[in-house]
Amino acid sequence: MTTAIRPSIERKLDGQLLLPGDTGYDESRTVWNGMIARRPRMIIRAASVEDVVTAVRTARELDLEIGVRCGGHSSIGLAVPQDGLMIDLAPLTGVHVDPDRRRAWIQGGALLGVLDQASQRYGLATTAGNVSHTGVGGLTLGGGMGWLARQYGLACDNVASYTMVTADGEVVRASQTERPELFWGLRGGGGNFGIVTEFEFRLHPIGTRTLVAEYTFPLDRAIPALKAWRDLNIEAPREATFTASIGQDNAATLGFVWVGDPQRASRLLHNFQALGTPAATHITEMSYLDLQRREDTVERHSLRRYSKGHYLQQFPDAAIEAFVHRGGSRVGVGLQAYGGAIADVPDEDAAFSHRATLFEFGTGTTWTDPASDAVRIAAARRSAAAMASFAHGVYVNALSDEGAEGVRRAYSPAKLARLIALKDAYDPHNVFHLNQNIQPSTGRDQ
C-alpha cells in the first residue's frame, strides 16, 4: 500500500520520501545507539516546515506511529518507530545570526555544532550541550545543560520563541507573549506537544577562549580528593563547571571546565592543590569550538549503549563512597555541577524542574557484542541503584527505559499536572508519544 501511494506523497514534498530498500533508508534510520534496529514503514526527510506538516498529516491519515529524529541521541531510539513514519529533520539545518541583536534563529534539525560555529564567528554563544553532534531540538526541549549554563542558564532558558507543528498539522508560534502556556511547557517538557521547526535563541558575548583542568587519582585515593573537590565547588565562580568521572580503568578524574579568559582561572587552579597530589594533571587551553567538540565520538552510531542518571541536591560523604564503589560494577560514572544561573530562574517559570540540583550524576556503558547486552545493562543499573538513595529527581533527557515512573521523577507533581493539561490542549490523542511521554488525561488513540 505504501508503494502505491508513493507518488501522491512525493508530490507534496520539498524533501524526500524513503521506503525500505531505497538508497539512504538505512542511513536515515540508524541512530546513536547501535542496539536500535527498528524499521519504519516510511521515512520523510523534511526539507521545509511544509514537509513536516505533510508528514504529520500523512501519518495520521495512514494511522502510523510517528517518530521524530534530529540528532538521534535518544538512548532507547525513540526517533525510530517500528513500521511507523519517521520524520527526519536532518535537512532542516538553516541558521541565521544577528550579532547586533544577539539572536540566532536555527531550524529544528540542526546539530549543536552548527549553532556554535555560526555564533562563534562573532564571539557569541548560548548554552548548547557538551557534544557538537547532539540535536538542538532534543537537547533544548528537555532543558539543555551545557558548559555555559552556570553563567547564562539552560538552553531552554535562552529560547525567545519556538515555531512548532501541532498534531493537527497547524504551524504555531510560542513565546512569552504568544501562547505563553505552550512556551512554558516547551521549556523542559520535551517533544510532547508538537515538532519544533525553529528556535530563536538569545546569545551572549563569551569570547572564544576556554580552559579544561583535569586531575587524575588512583581509586584508592579518590574519596578524600572527591571530598575536597566537592567543598571547592561551593564557592566556584560561575565561569567554572566542576566535573568528576571514573572510567573503566578505575581512575578518578576531577576538575572543571572554564569558559572565559583562562587567566581568570588561576586562583581556582591554585585552590585545587587541596585535592592532594594527583597521578596526572592536564591543564589545557582551547577554543570554545574545540571544547564543544572535545567529547564527540567518531564511532557514535555503531556502539551499543545503556545509561542512567540522577539529580543530587546534596553530595554527602556516603554518596561519595557510593559514587566511587559504583555498586560493585566497573561501568563509567560522572558528575557535572549545576547551580549559578540555573538556580537563578524561578522554578515556576518553566516546565524544567529540580533547579536546586547540586550535581547531575550519570552512569553508562558501551559495547559491541550483542551477547553482552544483559550483563552490560545490569552493571549500569547496579551503578545507578547505588546512588538512588541520594537522588532527588532526574533530568528528563537522561531518562532511558524508566517509562512513566521516570517522568514522575523528572517533574514535580504540580508541574506534571500542568503538563498533562497542556497535552490535553495540544495533543489529546497522544500522537506524539515516542518521547518521555506526558500522557493526556483523555487517553491514547494509536
Side-chain angles (χ1 to χ4, degrees):
M1 183 182 76
T2 304
T3 303
I5 65 172
R6 180 173 199 156
S8 65
I9 297 174
E10 289 184 324
R11 282 196 298 269
K12 303 173 186 177
L13 294 177
D14 298 310
Q16 186 180 20
L17 172 66
L18 297 175
L19 303 180
D22 286 349
T23 300
Y25 172 85
D26 286 329
E27 180 182 359
S28 193
R29 73 182 178 91
T30 300
V31 290
W32 189 57
N33 188 347
M35 296 177 71
I36 309 304
R38 293 190 287 270
R39 298 179 64 83
R41 189 181 304 181
M42 66 176 71
I43 299 171
I44 290 180
R45 287 176 50 81
S48 63
V49 177
E50 291 74 19
D51 282 359
V52 178
V53 172
T54 295
V56 170
R57 290 177 175 170
T58 298
R60 300 205 67 181
E61 289 168 4
L62 298 177
D63 195 25
L64 295 177
E65 192 172 36
I66 292 175
V68 183
R69 173 181 172 154
C70 181
H73 274 234
S74 164
S75 63
I76 53 175
L78 292 169
V80 191
Q82 177 63 32
D83 201 36
L85 192 159
M86 187 172 90
I87 303 174
D88 186 356
L89 300 179
L92 290 173
T93 60
V95 59
H96 169 69
V97 173
D98 184 332
D100 296 325
R101 295 179 59 194
R102 294 180 182 170
R103 285 285 194 277
W105 291 263
I106 187 162
Q107 292 183 302
L111 304 183
L112 295 176
V114 174
L115 176 60
D116 290 333
Q117 291 176 35
S119 56
Q120 274 288 280
R121 293 190 187 103
Y122 309 99
L124 302 172
T126 196
T127 304
N130 303 346
V131 177
S132 75
H133 55 74
T134 304
V136 169
L139 177 99
T140 305
L141 290 170
M145 182 55 181
W147 299 127
L148 290 173
R150 284 176 41 80
Q151 293 187 65
Y152 300 111
L154 301 164
C156 71
D157 298 328
N158 288 284
V159 178
S161 70
Y162 303 82
T163 301
M164 187 188 86
V165 176
T166 70
D168 293 329
E170 181 185 0
V171 180
V172 300
R173 189 172 184 272
S175 68
Q176 287 184 327
T177 57
E178 299 173 84
R179 295 180 175 82
E181 186 67 5
L182 177 60
F183 182 72
W184 175 90
L186 291 173
R187 294 176 61 206
N192 276 282
F193 312 111
I195 301 173
V196 175
T197 57
E198 185 179 77
F199 298 82
E200 178 188 357
F201 282 102
R202 287 181 286 271
L203 303 176
H204 306 280
I206 69 158
T208 61
R209 303 170 66 195
T210 72
L211 178 144
V212 177
E214 297 176 318
Y215 304 81
T216 301
F217 295 84
L219 209 60
D220 59 2
R221 289 196 276 129
I223 289 176
L226 269 163
K227 290 178 181 178
W229 173 89
R230 170 200 62 194
D231 295 343
L232 285 174
N233 179 70
I234 296 171
E235 300 297 330
R238 293 189 174 197
E239 293 95 330
T241 301
F242 276 39
T243 62
S245 64
I246 301 175
Q248 294 185 13
D249 60 357
N250 272 351
T253 300
L254 316 179
F256 62 89
V257 171
W258 181 279
V259 179
D261 183 352
Q263 292 185 353
R264 288 174 46 83
S266 59
R267 180 177 178 182
L268 185 56
L269 290 170
H270 174 78
N271 291 343
F272 258 65
Q273 295 176 12
L275 272 62
T277 304
T281 300
H282 297 282
I283 311 295
T284 309
E285 293 187 24
M286 64 184 72
S287 71
Y288 180 76
L289 287 178
D290 284 342
L291 171 67
Q292 291 292 88
R293 293 189 288 252
R294 183 171 178 263
E295 296 184 22
D296 289 4
T297 51
V298 175
E299 71 282 6
R300 58 187 179 272
H301 290 97
S302 61
L303 296 179
R304 305 173 81 81
R305 304 173 183 273
Y306 190 81
S307 60
K308 291 279 190 180
H310 298 302
Y311 274 153
L312 310 176
Q313 288 193 356
Q314 297 179 333
F315 196 43
D317 290 354
I320 290 176
E321 294 178 7
F323 178 77
V324 170
H325 296 307
R326 295 169 287 170
S329 71
R330 289 176 64 96
V331 300
V333 293
L335 296 167
Q336 185 168 350
Y338 276 50
I342 302 169
D344 288 345
V345 177
D347 183 69
E348 65 274 10
D349 275 13
F352 181 86
S353 302
H354 308 299
R355 289 186 180 272
T357 294
L358 179 66
F359 296 115
E360 181 188 350
F361 164 85
T363 182
T365 180
T366 61
W367 67 100
T368 57
D369 184 0
S372 300
D373 287 0
V375 171
R376 293 288 192 146
I377 290 171
R381 287 174 174 169
R382 285 199 308 274
S383 178
M387 296 295 293
S389 63
F390 307 103
H392 192 281
V394 65
Y395 182 24
V396 71
N397 282 350
L399 290 173
S400 55
D401 55 359
E402 295 86 349
E405 186 275 333
V407 172
R408 287 191 293 270
R409 289 184 60 217
Y411 305 103
S412 67
K415 287 193 178 183
L416 187 55
R418 191 170 169 183
L419 286 165
I420 291 170
L422 192 60
K423 184 76 169 180
D424 287 346
Y426 282 90
D427 187 17
H429 301 300
N430 212 6
V431 171
F432 302 116
H433 61 265
L434 288 181
N435 44 46
Q436 298 300 339
N437 194 228
I438 308 294
Q439 293 201 19
S441 60
T442 51
R444 280 189 181 176
D445 178 16
Q446 296 182 33

